Amino acid sequence: MAKTEMTYDKPLPAMTGLAGEFYAFCAKSELRFQRCSACQAWRHVPRELCPECGSGDWSWERSSGHGRVFAWTVATRAIHAGFEREIPYAAVVVEMDEGVRVLSQVADCPPDELTMDMPVEVTFEAVTPEVTLPKFRRKLCEPYGP
Ligand SMILES: [Zn+2]
């Protein structure tokens, strides 16, 4: 019997601990980062202590979902068989309006159309029934700066 659905064959994040909490919000289409209760600094990737002040008090705060392309690299060889049909693709670091940086992809943008500071917004891709990944797409309505 022929398979009708493509199975997701790329590596998946561990759905445990703080990372598991981060991805559980993504599954609800919420991008949330930790924010220090003592000094208000945002942080990502998830960790127990604030890298700014050392406090262990924090909460999950909702991100605006808006950011800008900070850096990227174009993969021309797949480091994992699951990526072979996508090469060349860009691994993109997005700097969110909150200041934290997220490694992801700009899903609707070929690598040769990426530009520094390109405005992007988060979108969510449910890659398995359990795992939803934050991806980004171009924000087309915002005028580019001077
Ligand atoms: Zn702090």
Side-chain angles (χ1 to χ4, degrees):
M1 195 156 169
K3 268 169 108 174
T4 53
E5 282 180 38
M6 290 246 295
T7 50
Y8 189 79
D9 57 358
K10 296 171 189 158
L12 290 166
M15 296 295 285
T16 57
L18 294 175
E21 293 178 30
F22 173 81
Y23 288 107
F25 287 120
C26 291
K28 296 189 287 185
S29 296
E30 292 180 15
L31 185 61
R32 289 181 182 262
F33 300 112
Q34 289 173 290
R35 190 170 192 190
C36 177
S37 304
C39 77
Q40 307 304 311
W42 295 80
R43 64 183 187 260
H44 184 71
V45 296
R47 68 202 88 163
E48 294 291 344
L49 300 178
C50 176
E52 300 298 324
C53 76
S55 171
D57 296 325
W58 57 271
S59 58
W60 289 109
E61 298 291 331
R62 190 141 186 189
S63 165
S64 68
H66 300 284
R68 291 177 179 275
V69 170
F70 178 79
W72 70 90
T73 187
V74 178
T76 55
R77 296 180 63 186
I79 56 164
H80 182 279
F83 291 94
E84 259 169 34
R85 66 183 169 274
E86 290 185 18
I87 52 175
Y89 67 90
V92 179
V93 177
V94 173
E95 186 169 84
M96 305 304 300
D97 286 356
E98 293 81 16
V100 300
R101 294 176 186 154
V102 180
L103 178 61
S104 182
Q105 290 182 301
V106 182
D108 65 347
C109 186
D112 60 355
E113 292 180 24
L114 286 166
T115 57
M116 290 300 292
D117 292 328
M118 173 187 283
V120 293
E121 61 190 355
V122 74
T123 181
F124 295 94
E125 185 179 338
V127 296
T128 72
E130 297 79 29
V131 179
T132 296
L133 300 177
K135 299 282 181 81
F136 290 85
R137 63 182 171 214
R138 286 187 261 205
K139 244 168 72 178
L140 297 175
C141 52
E142 183 177 297
Y144 286 86

